[in-house]
Amino acid sequence: MSNTHGEMTLGQPVGAAMSVPALPGAWRRRAAGVLRPVFALAGLGMLALLVRKAGPGELRGVLSDAAAYLPWVVLLELGRQCMDALATRSAYGASAGRIPLSMLVRSQLIGTAVSSMAPAGRAAAEATKAALLAPYAGGAAATAAAATSQSASLAAGGLISFPCALASYLLTGFSLFTVAMLVHGVVLVLLSAGLRACMRAKRPVAWLARRFHRWASHAEQFQASARCGALLPWRPSLAFLGSRVFQVGQYAVLTHAVGIDTSLVQALFSQGLYLCALAVGSLVPGQVGVSDGAFAMAAGVLDTTAARAMSVAMLGHVVQLLFVVAGVLTPLVWRTPARPASPVPASH
């Protein structure tokens, strides 16, 4: 909730893009170009049906009353963005000191927009940030950091799923919601460890070097960066986990804003519901229609109406849209300085 070329349309330096391997095959780019609008339209269609079923009048009233709480949700989102940027910086390890703070912030804003608009958005966002930061840290270090950030994000999503599953169990017993959150947590932690293991193994890296000839000269440095630290990248994982904690706070505010009697258990359940919807609707931009449907289905668990439950997801879309607009405008109004000289590879 992938297109590594998404940042090309946002104007990243050509040299930076050349430092990071692209997805092979023009057919994948064409397929992504076709599928994105199809899934976007499907999500909008689902949202329209849900609005009609829940009642436009009730939805309008709930959203109007809850709008006063949006500044608090935006403030929590800013905290979440800071934690995501900290996770990215931690993923660079010894190379982090060469990245200017301003460029890290810029890449985070642009990456957030890509993450919301592109299918499999997290992977696309990390590829985008790697392309933007490669001139400062080097192509191999940026690519390794992007993969490490992806692994850390998976680990954090998996770890937060377990308290969410516990909250679901307290509310619903051993229900489909509880099972989905447990499975989601286990799968994400395993994927995180598997990704890092592949980064550190010789054969997968050798295969990538043969597949992407431009990247072959960076393979050794990439693997050296990947082998630093533990199998699970704890520092970026903890930063991403902090980001998820901010998100739990957002759902606490949102559920209270729409008139749901909110507790920590319900906030964690809402977070788990969002994460499962994110996994199911990863091809739908912004999970529009998917997360709304998931909250409508869970209205009984939250002891509220479908309109109020849907409003939680819809208000989340509003905040998400604000940061998408900020990210899209960033490369237009925030120009980068002249590209620095190629950095000296960090010793490990």
Side-chain angles (χ1 to χ4, degrees), residues 102-224:
S102 60
M103 293 300 99
L104 180 64
V105 172
R106 184 178 184 273
S107 70
Q108 178 62 37
L109 289 171
I110 296 174
T112 297
V114 173
S115 176
S116 298
M117 294 186 297
R122 171 61 66 178
E126 294 303 337
T128 296
K129 288 193 277 188
L132 290 167
L133 298 177
Y136 304 93
T143 306
T148 299
S149 290
Q150 177 67 24
S151 173
S153 176
L154 290 169
L159 292 173
I160 198 69
S161 294
F162 296 125
C164 293
L166 177 59
S168 178
Y169 178 77
L170 293 174
L171 290 173
T172 69
F174 208 65
S175 65
L176 180 61
F177 292 117
T178 305
V179 172
M181 292 176 198
L182 278 174
V183 170
H184 183 264
V186 171
V187 169
L188 260 61
V189 171
L190 290 177
L191 284 174
S192 173
L195 177 58
R196 282 284 286 178
C198 287
M199 290 170 62
R200 295 150 75 100
K202 290 183 178 180
R203 288 186 179 181
V205 173
W207 179 85
L208 283 172
R210 291 194 301 269
R211 184 80 172 175
F212 303 104
H213 299 296
R214 289 195 303 254
W215 187 66
S217 60
H218 299 300
E220 185 177 346
Q221 187 189 348
F222 168 86
Q223 196 152 56

Side-chain angles (χ1 to χ4, degrees), residues 20 29 43-44 78 121 125 159 182 204 266 314 319 325:
V20 183
R29 293 191 292 273
L44 289 172
L78 283 172
L159 292 173
L182 278 174
Q266 286 172 318
M314 294 178 76
V319 176
V325 171

Side-chain angles (χ1 to χ4, degrees), residues 16-301:
M18 292 291 285
S19 301
V20 183
L23 286 174
W27 68 272
R28 293 193 182 186
R29 293 191 292 273
R30 289 196 294 268
V34 171
L35 288 176
R36 264 183 290 179
V38 169
F39 281 109
L41 288 173
L44 289 172
M46 184 184 297
L47 180 60
L49 290 174
L50 289 167
V51 169
R52 182 179 178 182
K53 184 176 181 180
E58 184 181 356
L59 271 172
R60 186 163 49 248
V62 172
L63 291 172
S64 177
D65 292 341
Y69 290 87
L70 282 179
W72 295 105
V73 184
V74 171
L75 187 62
L76 286 166
E77 180 63 22
L78 283 172
R80 201 173 78 82
Q81 294 295 324
C82 289
M83 295 305 295
D84 282 2
L86 177 61
T88 297
R89 190 179 189 281
S90 297
Y92 276 85
S95 302
R98 296 202 297 270
I99 300 173
L101 179 60
S102 60
M103 293 300 99
L104 180 64
V105 172
R106 184 178 184 273
S107 70
Q108 178 62 37
L109 289 171
I110 296 174
T112 297
V114 173
S115 176
S116 298
M117 294 186 297
R122 171 61 66 178
E126 294 303 337
T128 296
K129 288 193 277 188
L132 290 167
L133 298 177
Y136 304 93
T143 306
T148 299
S149 290
Q150 177 67 24
S151 173
S153 176
L154 290 169
L159 292 173
I160 198 69
S161 294
F162 296 125
C164 293
L166 177 59
S168 178
Y169 178 77
L170 293 174
L171 290 173
T172 69
F174 208 65
S175 65
L176 180 61
F177 292 117
T178 305
V179 172
M181 292 176 198
L182 278 174
V183 170
H184 183 264
V186 171
V187 169
L188 260 61
V189 171
L190 290 177
L191 284 174
S192 173
L195 177 58
R196 282 284 286 178
C198 287
M199 290 170 62
R200 295 150 75 100
K202 290 183 178 180
R203 288 186 179 181
V205 173
W207 179 85
L208 283 172
R210 291 194 301 269
R211 184 80 172 175
F212 303 104
H213 299 296
R214 289 195 303 254
W215 187 66
S217 60
H218 299 300
E220 185 177 346
Q221 187 189 348
F222 168 86
Q223 196 152 56
S225 299
R227 286 178 174 173
C228 291
L231 181 62
L232 286 178
W234 290 112
R235 289 183 65 186
S237 295
L238 287 174
F240 276 125
L241 193 58
S243 172
R244 292 300 182 189
V245 171
F246 272 105
Q247 200 167 47
V248 172
Q250 286 181 305
Y251 280 110
V253 173
L254 288 172
T255 50
H256 176 74
V258 301
I260 298 174
D261 188 16
T262 304
S263 66
L264 177 60
V265 171
Q266 286 172 318
L268 282 168
F269 175 80
S270 299
Q271 167 73 0
L273 199 62
Y274 166 78
L275 290 174
C276 290
L278 189 65
V280 173
S282 60
L283 294 178
V284 180
Q287 291 73 53
V288 173
V290 180
S291 57
D292 310 84
F295 275 90
M297 287 175 57
V301 178

